Structures are given as C-alpha cells and as structure tokens.
C-alpha cells in the first residue's frame, strides 16, 4: 500500500468501523491505539488508517491522530484522501490542492487486496472518551476509571493548571469542545479553581472568525 518507500518499514493497519458520537473524539482513537501498542509498538512502522469509520472523522481529527503517531513511535501515519480533507482544504483557501488530489483519488486510498504486517480493528460505536497518563502516554483509562486508578496508585489528584492548545489540542474542533464545556460549567454556576490556559495552534485559529 505504500509505494516507493526508500527504507524497509512495517506497514500496520487500523481498520476503523462505526461512527464517532457523543463526547468521543478523534483523539480517543490514537489514545486507544497507544493503549494497545504501547509507546514502542509503532517503532519502525507506517500506520495506515482505513475503513468506513474514517468518514466520520474530521480532517483536523485525522491530523491530530497522525501527529500523535509519535507517541507510539510510528515512522509516519496516513489516512486515505476523502471528502473531509477536500472540505478542509477548501475552507482554508487551498481548494486548488483539493482539486488536484481529487483527480488522483484512486491512488490515495489503500490498494485493493493489500496485505499488512499487523491489523487492528477499532469500533467507533463502542469507543468512549479516554485519559492517558500520567507519566507515559500509553497508560490509558476510560473517563470512569480515572478516579479509582488515581486512588489505587496514589497519584496526585490536585490540578494546579489546565491547558487547551499545543500541537494536539489547538484546532477549531478542540476549541469548540472546550467552549461548550465552559458554557455548561458557567450555566451550572461553577467557577474555575485553577488557571485555564489557551494556546491556539495557528494565527487562523487565533483570529476572530
């Protein structure tokens, strides 16, 4: 599936089925992958995501997943070209690139009948929000497990600061989720107890829309 690779690499596949829903986000996909493979499981490998579930993932979400491939040691991560990517390129004033890619769409998808060194299936219908850590990005817990895990392991539970930003949490999609949670908290009469820091990922995100 990866032609003309100038070095020998394993090709590991992630077959995505189902559809993201609720508060489950694209980031939970790579957090689950890290849980399965650990921080060394992608070393020396190209990770290819495919399957019908891919079309429920936003372009920025795919970017986040590929970016976080470093957390499992992957050489690189790729998705097939789809309408979500074309829409994103159009919205960011790069419609000409989308049009060029669309002409070669049949080359930007997995080869028919291709064989992978490893295949992992992830069902988005059953995937739930995760928190990974502390200390290592492959220590995964579902949201309902975090409190008990902290008690069992004696992890500190006091939060001194929170951040939305960096290369993996700074797109419009990430920001709007933080805004929605903040609105719900304010509507419930809650107040922030610690600093909440925001670092947009680009000037385009920072500027008022």
């Amino acid at each position: 599936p990866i032609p003309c690779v100038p070095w020998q690499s394993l090709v590991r596949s992630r077959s995505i089925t189902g559809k993201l829903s609720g508060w489950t986000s694209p980031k939970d996909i790579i957090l689950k992958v890290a849980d399965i493979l650990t921080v060394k499981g992608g070393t020396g490998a190209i990770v290819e995501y495919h399957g019908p579930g891919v079309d429920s993932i936003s372009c920025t979400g795919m970017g986040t997943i590929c970016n976080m491939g470093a957390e499992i040691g992957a050489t690189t991560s790729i998705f097939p070209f789809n309408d979500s990517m074309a829409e994103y390129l159009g919205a960011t004033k790069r419609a000409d690139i989308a049009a060029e890619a669309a002409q070669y769409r049949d080359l930007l998808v997995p080869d028919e009948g291709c064989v992978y060194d490893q295949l992992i299936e992830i069902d988005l219908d059953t995937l739930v929000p995760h928190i990974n850590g502390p200390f290592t990005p492959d220590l995964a817990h579902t949201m309902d497990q975090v409190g008990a895990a902290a008690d069992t392991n004696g992890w500190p539970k006091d939060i001194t600061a929170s951040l939305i930003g960096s290369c993996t949490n700074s797109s419009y999609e990430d920001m709007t989720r933080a805004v929605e949670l903040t609105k719900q908290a304010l509507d419930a009469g809650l107040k922030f107890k610690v600093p909440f820091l925001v670092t947009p990922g680009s000037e385009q995100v920072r500027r008022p829309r």
Side-chain angles (χ1 to χ4, degrees):
I2 313 293
C4 302
V5 177
W7 59 87
Q8 185 174 1
S9 294
L10 299 173
V11 181
R12 294 182 173 166
S13 167
R14 308 292 173 264
S15 178
I16 310 295
T17 59
K19 185 177 182 180
L20 287 173
S21 61
W23 284 99
T24 305
S25 73
K27 202 172 288 94
D28 294 306
I29 297 173
I30 185 62
L31 295 183
K32 183 62 178 177
V33 170
D35 177 39
I36 297 169
L37 290 180
T38 77
V39 292
K40 297 180 180 179
T43 302
I46 295 169
V47 179
E48 179 174 342
Y49 295 85
H50 60 88
V54 165
D55 289 333
S56 73
I57 306 172
S58 66
C59 182
T60 53
M62 294 182 216
T64 294
I65 292 169
C66 290
N67 183 300
M68 292 183 67
E71 308 296 346
I72 59 171
T75 299
T76 192
S77 304
I78 57 174
F79 279 86
F81 180 75
N82 63 5
D83 292 341
S84 177
M85 294 180 185
E87 290 171 7
Y88 177 80
L89 289 168
T92 53
K93 300 179 175 59
R94 290 173 284 184
D96 56 329
I97 297 176
E100 186 72 15
Q103 294 184 58
Y104 304 98
R105 184 184 289 258
D106 59 326
L107 299 178
L108 302 175
V109 296
D111 296 337
E112 186 176 351
C114 57
V115 177
Y116 298 99
D117 295 288
Q118 182 185 27
L119 175 65
I120 294 176
E121 297 186 1
I122 297 178
D123 181 6
L124 302 185
D125 287 335
T126 60
L127 186 67
V128 296
H130 279 63
I131 292 180
N132 283 28
F135 314 123
T136 178
D138 57 2
L139 185 58
H141 301 89
T142 58
M143 293 287 285
D144 60 334
Q145 298 172 335
V146 175
D151 290 334
T152 300
N153 294 283
W155 296 334
K157 291 188 287 185
D158 291 333
I159 297 174
T160 57
S162 57
L163 166 71
I164 173 105
S166 80
C167 58
T168 55
N169 297 285
S170 57
S171 68
Y172 283 131
E173 184 174 6
D174 295 309
M175 295 295 178
T176 54
R177 284 175 176 266
V179 168
E180 179 59 30
L181 282 173
T182 301
K183 286 181 176 178
Q184 290 183 30
L186 293 175
D187 289 344
L190 302 177
K191 295 182 179 180
F192 286 109
K193 293 183 178 180
V194 298
F196 181 55
L197 310 175
V198 179
T199 57
S202 68
E203 277 296 300
Q204 194 156 319
V205 173
R206 186 186 68 83
R207 289 196 214 98
R209 298 185 70 179

